[in-house]
Every structure is written in C-alpha cells, then in structure tokens.
Amino acid sequence: MHWSERKQPRPAREDHGPVRYGPPAPDPGLPVLPELADVLAASAARTRPEPPGGGTILREAACAYWGRRGLHGGPRDIAAAPGAQPLLLALIAAYGGDVLMPRPCPATWMPQARLLGRPAYHVPTPAECGGIPDPYALLETVRRVRAEGGRPKLLLISVADDPTATVAPPELVREACEAAVAEGLHIVSDETWRDTLHRPHDTVLLSPAEMCPDDVTVIGDLAGALTPSAWPVAVARFPATRRAAARRARVLDILTALGAVVAEPVARAAAHALREPEAVTDRIRQAAALQAQVASAAHRAVLTVGALARPPQAGRHLYADLGPLRTRLAARGVTDSMELEEYLTRRLGAPAPGGHRFGDELGALRVRLSTGPLLGSTPQEQMESLTAVEPLELPHVAQALSMFAAALDELR
C-alpha cells in the first residue's frame, strides 16, 4: 500500500524550549590503524589548513568513495569540514526554513537547529526502525506546521541510524523520500554509519540520493568507520544542480566565517581512508564483524531482563527501552531518562546517555548503550578482540558482558 493511501496519525507537538542537556561524549572507537597513522605522521610538517570546504585531494577522494557506491559527481559537488557538527550547522543555515527530523535522532541535531533560531520538529518513526520518519506522520507534520504559519524546508534523516543502530528498509526509505519531495522538502541524509553494517550481505542499505538525486544532500562523518574520532573530518555530497551549487557556495561562506577548516595532515589521512586501500577495508570488515557479535550479546542481555530493543544492525550502539521495568526502577529512584542515565552510568562504569538527549520524552525510560566498552579497556585488549576468531570467549570481553548483564539483571 502506498503512503498516500494510508491513514495519517497526528504526531505530538514539539516543545521548543531551551536545550537542557549537552550531547554525549563520542565513542573513542578502536586503536588507530597503523597505515593511517603513518600517513598522518608523514604530513605532520604541513602547517597550513585546507581551504574552506576541503582541498582538491580530499574532495576527489570523497568523489571516488561515493562513486563506488553508485553516487557519482565531481569535486565541485563536495564540501568538507572538521567534523559533522560544523558541517551540519552550515547546511541548516544555508538551506533556511524550518527543520524536521525523526524521533529519536542524533543528539546534536536539535541543538544545532535551535542554535540557529530555527523552529525544529520531531516526527515519529515506524515500529521497525529509527532514522526515517513515518511517511504519513511526516505529511501530517508538514501540513500542521504550514497551517500554523511555519515554513518546513529541510528534513534530516539517517538510513543507518544513530542512536537506534537500525537500518531502514528500502521500501520505507522510498516512501518517506517521496513524501518529503512531494512537499517540497530538501533531504539531508546522514550516512555516517553506512559502512558499519553488522551483516552486510544480509542488509540492504539504500541511499535517498539514489532515488532523489536532485533533492538529497549526503553527509558522512568519517569517524563512523574510516578515521579516529580524534581526527575530526566530515564530508558532504551535494546534488549536481545549479540550486545545489549556490547552496554549497553558501555552506563554504559559513564554514569560512566559522573558521571550520580541516587540518592538512588530517585531510591527507582522511583522503587515504576514503580511497579504501586494502588495510582500511580489512579494518572496516573486522570491526563490523566484531560489533555484530558483541552487540548481539548485549541485545540478548537487554531482552533477558524484560526490556525492549530493536536488533542492532549497524554502528556501535544499542537503544534500549526500559519502560517495562518502570516499577523496579522507580523503587530505585529512577523515574525519567535523565535519572536512568545517571543510574546506569554508575552501574555500568561507562556513559549511558538517556533518551532525552536524542529527542525522546524525558519520561520515557530509554537509553543508548555503547558496545565500545565491552571490547576491552586497553588498546591491546581491543586489538585482541578485533583479531580473535571467537571474541566473546576472550576473558576481558566475557567479563565485560557479564558485568553488563549483571547491572541489568538487578532490575528484574
């Protein structure tokens, strides 16, 4: 059944109050790939920053990266920045209008819209995944916002999603994009986690830019799979249209005003990673396979205690709903997601950001759980986890998973 034939439920109204809580700290990830460290070290004497939007070498490497994924274009369609946050901020500023995004969504999206003074609205996601709004709820939200005098212009989505670690089915991506384009929205598709699929041969990831090439800007933070989070660099791919070229120019103006330029040594390492030599692709494959096993074990532990969570399909997180344990949590003084964050962070010994950071209601007992701390506390243990045939049988991984399960088991 097509989205236009379905009943369209009315989504909840969005609260536009001030931001109360900062974003969670990024996951440090696995140790640096030696080949990338060598490239960075070889460029360490280069003291000049890249030009705003990135130099030719970095932009050409990004073009080749997306070309291998069926998204063709030229260096003039690319812009780079020192991380996803300044890049997305520049995009929101350049495109204008009100911003729509799924609920839940990455922790930085709503604060960036509010920082620019832009009205922003959450749209519910369907039951099977996060990252993509329910298409008929999207239509209803757009119509309601316009009826109230708003100007919805931009839709932010993530097919491979943070925080829910799910991958949206192609049919749903198509329906949501058709609905957005029909209403005149430009789509920004965050594809940071597209290379972290836990089961790449069993999961189909469809980029919105494949379906709506003139209406989608793709962004990717290389820290998702290609580079360490301590080397901030993100890239955006714009449509090959005159309108998009004008908006790219506006993005470059904003990045210039912000001083948001990539350090040249980081740019050289990022360009090397984007070319995907064998060492990089091997690391991506190994890391995804490791995360698949550890995330599945953590998911089983969550379900065992009676909590809810969608099966993780990508990335390094698990999004759990502890609503079924509300009575037990209340007995421990936990009645909302902020208190849940504080409680689980103490019990797990690792950050467990609550759902309020990702746009969920404060009263919902949801939390994002990272699988990174389960891989080991030292670079040596993490590398051992990465190369092991059976990582779950390693003593440090088994102990970490046991402590994770025990912290949750107390709530039964």
Side-chain angles (χ1 to χ4, degrees), residues 173-174 177-178 181 187 207-217 239:
V173 176
R174 183 178 299 278
C177 290
E178 287 177 353
V181 171
I187 300 167
S207 172
E210 297 180 62
M211 298 176 296
C212 308
D214 294 342
D215 299 291
V216 178
T217 298

Side-chain angles (χ1 to χ4, degrees), residues 3-11 135-137 139-140 143:
W3 55 261
S4 61
E5 301 172 326
R6 298 170 177 165
K7 185 178 179 181
Q8 300 169 7
R10 183 179 181 84
Y136 22 97
L139 288 173
E140 178 62 23
R143 291 167 185 170

Side-chain angles (χ1 to χ4, degrees), residues 104-171:
C105 67
T108 59
W109 286 7
M110 183 62 76
Q112 286 175 307
R114 288 174 169 168
L115 181 64
L116 292 168
R118 297 290 172 79
Y121 302 86
H122 282 296
V123 185
T125 54
E128 60 263 42
C129 68
I132 302 291
D134 180 278
Y136 22 97
L138 174 63
L139 288 173
E140 178 62 23
T141 301
V142 170
R143 291 167 185 170
R144 174 173 58 82
V145 171
R146 286 180 177 153
E148 295 174 354
R151 297 173 52 248
K153 293 292 185 180
L154 198 63
L155 172 66
L156 310 183
I157 61 176
S158 53
V159 179
D161 184 44
D162 170 24
T164 65
T166 59
V167 178
E171 179 185 358

Side-chain angles (χ1 to χ4, degrees), residues 248-263:
R248 177 183 178 274
R250 176 61 176 155
V251 166
L252 298 187
D253 288 342
I254 296 167
L255 293 175
T256 301
L258 294 173
V261 294
V262 182

Side-chain angles (χ1 to χ4, degrees), residues 20-311:
R20 294 177 58 194
Y21 316 111
D27 188 332
L30 293 165
V32 177
L33 184 68
E35 184 170 313
L36 290 184
D38 291 343
V39 174
L40 185 77
S43 305
R46 298 178 179 273
T47 59
R48 299 178 63 180
E50 294 274 287
T56 301
I57 292 175
L58 177 56
R59 289 184 288 112
E60 287 180 344
C63 285
Y65 168 86
W66 272 312
R68 290 189 293 272
R69 287 153 179 81
L71 303 179
H72 301 286
R76 291 179 178 272
D77 302 324
I78 304 296
Q85 294 184 32
L87 185 56
L88 183 58
L89 185 75
L91 282 167
I92 295 173
Y95 277 90
D98 300 351
V99 184
L100 283 74
M101 60 191 74
R103 183 197 297 273
C105 67
T108 59
W109 286 7
M110 183 62 76
Q112 286 175 307
R114 288 174 169 168
L115 181 64
L116 292 168
R118 297 290 172 79
Y121 302 86
H122 282 296
V123 185
T125 54
E128 60 263 42
C129 68
I132 302 291
D134 180 278
Y136 22 97
L138 174 63
L139 288 173
E140 178 62 23
T141 301
V142 170
R143 291 167 185 170
R144 174 173 58 82
V145 171
R146 286 180 177 153
E148 295 174 354
R151 297 173 52 248
K153 293 292 185 180
L154 198 63
L155 172 66
L156 310 183
I157 61 176
S158 53
V159 179
D161 184 44
D162 170 24
T164 65
T166 59
V167 178
E171 179 185 358
L172 176 63
V173 176
R174 183 178 299 278
E175 292 180 354
C177 290
E178 287 177 353
V181 171
E183 293 296 332
L185 303 180
H186 186 78
I187 300 167
V188 173
S189 176
D190 185 342
E191 299 183 9
T192 294
W193 302 101
R194 68 169 298 153
D195 294 323
T196 68
L197 301 185
H198 294 176
R199 294 171 179 80
H201 298 296
D202 301 326
T203 307
V204 178
L205 188 150
L206 180 65
S207 172
E210 297 180 62
M211 298 176 296
C212 308
D214 294 342
D215 299 291
V216 178
T217 298
V218 178
I219 65 171
D221 188 336
L222 271 60
L226 293 169
T227 61
S229 59
W231 304 356
V233 58
V235 288
R237 175 193 175 275
F238 292 80
T241 65
R242 288 186 178 181
R243 177 178 293 184
R247 285 171 172 160
R248 177 183 178 274
R250 176 61 176 155
V251 166
L252 298 187
D253 288 342
I254 296 167
L255 293 175
T256 301
L258 294 173
V261 294
V262 182
E264 189 169 351
V266 173
R268 293 299 177 98
H272 185 80
L274 284 165
R275 295 189 193 100
E276 298 181 292
E278 185 177 356
V280 171
T281 56
D282 285 347
R283 167 60 71 88
I284 291 172
R285 176 183 52 78
Q286 288 180 314
L290 172 61
Q291 294 291 349
Q293 294 190 59
V294 175
S296 293
H299 182 246
R300 289 193 296 272
V302 169
L303 298 185
T304 296
V305 302
L308 305 173
R310 298 182 180 102

